Amino acid sequence: MDNISKKEYRVIRKQLGKGPKGLVGIPARCSYGYPVVLMNKPLIIGKDDQFEIFPTLYWLSCPSRVEKVASIESEGYIEVLEEE
């Protein structure tokens, strides 16, 4: 998808507080060009050909948006959507 630069990788690492796993690309960026959404491999092959399933294809990385979504979730909005 994207060629992810070293600078972008450092930004993502700072956003997440750790390095991303199975990063494929950055499908959404904010108006300043920073990553907002990360796309991950659904299957990561590690040591000794062991694999790890990573069920979240898209990962929200922008700290302010993560905070906003957490706030919405804590208010019970997910249950409202599930009921609909």
Side-chain angles (χ1 to χ4, degrees):
M1 177 179 238
D2 281 342
N3 287 331
I4 300 163
S5 71
K6 289 180 182 181
K7 180 182 177 184
E8 290 171 319
Y9 190 84
R10 283 192 305 270
V11 168
I12 292 166
R13 189 173 182 82
K14 185 169 182 162
Q15 288 177 327
L16 300 177
K18 61 183 178 181
K21 262 187 166 177
L23 183 61
V24 175
I26 305 169
R29 299 170 190 274
C30 70
S31 59
Y32 298 105
Y34 292 111
V36 172
V37 176
L38 308 178
M39 184 175 181
N40 304 293
K41 293 178 185 178
L43 188 63
I44 301 167
I45 300 174
K47 297 177 185 175
D48 302 323
D49 292 330
Q50 295 294 317
F51 64 91
E52 176 184 348
I53 297 172
F54 197 77
T56 307
L57 185 59
Y58 295 101
W59 194 265
L60 191 59
S61 65
C62 173
S64 64
R65 294 185 184 177
V66 167
E67 186 178 316
K68 180 65 176 170
V69 169
S71 171
I72 290 169
E73 288 176 342
S74 72
E75 293 169 4
Y77 194 68
I78 299 301
E79 288 81 15
V80 172
L81 290 175
E82 287 174 345
E83 287 176 14
E84 289 182 16

